[in-house]
């Protein structure tokens, strides 16, 4: 249930609503907007509680039930777009944010070369996996702790913010010491223990869409992060499984306007994992921006032929530089910049 306060409602009036909810054993989340405050009343039995219990309280403008399974990620709870700040880089504002780098961290030299190249072309955040959740247990699993340390070193050396994936709930603290932004991979979108732990950490997080999950399931997973008080959630569309096999996954381009319509959260697109082939990445990246994405997550490797993971879908530094140039006028035509 959401309780919308009147414009100019006092703190005491907001507290009155919160206390009423608590007296009924319900949880609350506040959205203190510039204009008005909205209180989300959460709990498994809100369906049995009359909205009138809140409608009569002083300072309340209106009450309504959110009929969707996701509440905190919904536009009903928060009308204005959320902007997530990562080290002063705003994601969800007018500037398109590009995160780029190798699929996996392989060596210091590889990461320095990738970081230097992507930064020079205008990427603001370096990507690189230290923990790689692989479909096969026999595939390279990442450099793990050593990879995290390399990430920290290169971040300092090159002067760039970093995003990396966290796979296990007990690693959230350690990964957060090295990463400005955490990534939850597609295979972990519904790992609720992991989401709950990251929710408590408050560290900005990119939540990738599970490749067999609906947009509703994706936004409901985001609620796990938001419900624990982490409002720094960025969604990432990376393609879903369909009958089509000419690409690795099918990029669900329509999920971007759908997310924008039903949620206030920023959404970026990973064209690399959707495409599975470097030749397709630039077109898919441009389509994503045209559809309203707030940024991109792109795999770039200094030498894709030698990559231990995902070389075929990785751009070379020069391909990436060209794509970034091509994105500029596109962004401007949409009233944005890069
Ligand atoms: C990745 O970004 O390296 C990755 C493993 O992506 P996904 O979780 O989308 O498969
Ligand atoms: Mn990859």
């Amino acid at each position: 249930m959401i309780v919308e306060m009147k414009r100019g409602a006092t703190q005491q009036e907001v507290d009155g609503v919160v206390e009423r909810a608590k007296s009924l054993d319900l949880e609350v989340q506040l959205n203190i907007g510039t204009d008005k405050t909205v209180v989300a009343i959460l709990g498994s039995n809100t369906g049995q509680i009359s909205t009138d219990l809140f409608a009569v309280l002083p300072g309340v403008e209106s009450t309504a039930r959110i009929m969707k399974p996701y509440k905190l990620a919904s536009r009903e709870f928060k009308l204005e777009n959320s902007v997530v700040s990562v080290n002063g880089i705003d994601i969800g504002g007018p500037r398109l944010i590009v995160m780029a780098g190798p699929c996996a961290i392989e060596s210091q030299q590889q990461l320095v070369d990738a970081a230097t190249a992507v930064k020079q072309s205008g990427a603001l955040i370096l990507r690189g996996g230290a923990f790689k959740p692989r479909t096969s247990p026999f595939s390279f699993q990442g450099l793990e702790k050593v990879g995290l340390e390399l990430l920290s070193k290169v971040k300092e050396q090159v002067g760039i913010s970093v995003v990396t994936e966290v796979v296990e709930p007990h690693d959230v603290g350690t990964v957060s010491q090295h990463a400005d932004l955490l990534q939850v991979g597609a295979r972990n979108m519904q790992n609720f223990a992991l989401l709950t732990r990251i929710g408590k950490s408050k560290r900005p997080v990119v939540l990738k869409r599970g490749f067999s999950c609906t947009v509703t399931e994706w936004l409901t997973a985001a609620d796990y992060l938001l419900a624990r008080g982490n409002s720094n959630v960025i969604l990432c569309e990376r393609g879903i499984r369909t009958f089509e096999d000419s690409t690795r996954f099918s990029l669900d381009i329509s999920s971007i306007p759908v997310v924008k319509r039903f949620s206030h959260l920023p959404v970026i697109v990973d064209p690399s994992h959707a495409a599975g082939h470097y030749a397709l990445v630039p077109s898919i990246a441009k389509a994503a921006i045209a559809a309203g994405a707030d940024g991109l997550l792109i795999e770039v490797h200094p030498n894709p032929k030698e990559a231990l993971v995902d070389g075929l879908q990785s751009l070379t530094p020069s391909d990436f530089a060209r794509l970034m140039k091509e994105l500029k006028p596109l962004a401007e035509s949409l009233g944005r910049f890069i």
Side-chain angles (χ1 to χ4, degrees):
M1 186 191 309
I2 58 167
V3 177
E4 191 186 353
M5 303 303 294
K6 285 187 177 139
R7 226 174 242 118
T10 64
Q11 185 61 48
Q12 216 179 356
E13 287 170 334
V14 175
D15 290 346
V17 171
V18 171
E19 271 145 36
R20 189 79 182 96
K22 290 202 169 146
S23 74
L24 296 162
D25 259 346
L26 298 168
E27 281 183 44
V28 294
Q29 285 270 342
L30 295 184
N31 166 30
I32 304 165
T34 43
D35 208 30
K36 55 174 70 167
T37 296
V38 178
V39 188
I41 313 270
L42 307 158
S44 52
N45 62 339
T46 49
Q48 273 93 61
I49 288 165
S50 164
T51 53
D52 288 357
L53 289 178
F54 294 95
V56 295
L57 297 176
V60 171
E61 170 83 38
S62 68
T63 57
R65 293 191 190 282
I66 304 180
M67 301 308 284
K68 300 185 174 106
Y70 53 90
K71 317 284 179 196
L72 303 175
S74 73
R75 280 252 183 234
E76 283 92 339
F77 175 56
K78 186 166 185 271
L79 189 61
E80 327 87 66
N81 289 333
S82 285
V83 176
V84 175
S85 180
V86 176
N87 269 350
I89 302 163
D90 282 349
I91 300 157
R95 183 176 202 173
L96 301 173
I97 306 302
V98 178
M99 310 177 192
C103 180
I105 299 164
E106 297 167 8
S107 67
Q108 183 160 350
Q109 196 56 52
Q110 172 242 22
L111 199 59
V112 170
D113 291 350
T116 311
V118 300
K119 183 180 174 182
Q120 198 177 10
S121 296
L124 296 181
I125 299 179
L126 171 69
R127 65 149 288 151
F131 295 95
K132 297 304 303 173
R134 306 302 302 283
T135 300
S136 162
F138 309 117
S139 304
F140 175 58
Q141 305 286 315
L143 295 181
E144 303 183 343
K145 191 87 207 315
V146 171
L148 288 180
E149 277 151 20
L150 289 178
L151 195 60
S152 276
K153 258 196 214 155
V154 172
K155 169 181 152 70
E156 290 310 315
Q157 193 180 330
V158 178
I160 189 165
S161 296
V162 296
V163 57
T164 198
E165 180 163 354
V166 56
V167 176
E168 297 277 357
H170 62 76
D171 284 333
V172 171
T174 314
V175 177
S176 298
Q177 284 168 13
H178 298 272
D180 304 289
L181 178 59
L182 303 176
Q183 178 174 318
V184 175
R187 289 156 191 81
N188 270 320
M189 190 204 86
Q190 289 183 313
N191 180 339
F192 301 121
L194 180 64
L195 299 180
T196 300
R197 182 66 193 76
I198 296 173
K200 286 185 198 153
S201 87
K202 318 270 193 294
R203 181 57 53 125
V205 53
V206 171
L207 178 64
K208 287 192 140 193
R209 178 180 180 181
F211 45 75
S212 308
C213 292
T214 63
V215 171
T216 297
E217 287 163 338
W218 188 17
L219 295 175
T220 310
D223 261 8
Y224 269 87
L225 296 161
L226 299 164
R228 295 291 166 172
N230 191 343
S231 54
N232 303 309
V233 179
I234 301 154
L235 301 167
C236 179
E237 167 64 55
R238 46 80 73 212
I240 53 173
R241 183 61 43 85
T242 68
F243 54 81
E244 180 53 59
D245 62 2
S246 58
T247 50
R248 188 173 176 189
F249 292 90
S250 297
L251 187 81
D252 181 8
I253 200 85
S254 52
S255 78
I256 302 148
V258 169
V259 163
K260 288 283 171 197
R261 180 170 174 206
F262 294 116
S263 176
H264 54 87
L265 295 173
V267 60
I268 64 170
V269 168
D270 171 351
S272 308
H273 288 86
H277 195 287
Y278 66 91
L280 306 173
V281 169
S283 303
I284 298 176
K286 289 173 199 164
I289 295 304
D294 296 302
L296 297 164
L297 179 67
I298 302 179
E299 286 187 342
V300 177
H301 194 287
N303 185 3
K305 289 190 192 76
E306 301 290 319
L308 294 181
V309 193
D310 286 349
L312 185 61
Q313 69 194 31
S314 297
L315 298 185
T316 61
S318 65
D319 284 343
F320 179 67
R322 188 176 324 113
L323 171 60
M324 289 296 280
K325 275 205 196 91
E326 290 171 359
L327 288 172
K328 269 200 176 79
L330 176 60
E332 277 155 26
S333 73
L334 295 158
R336 305 188 82 162
F337 67 102
I338 191 161

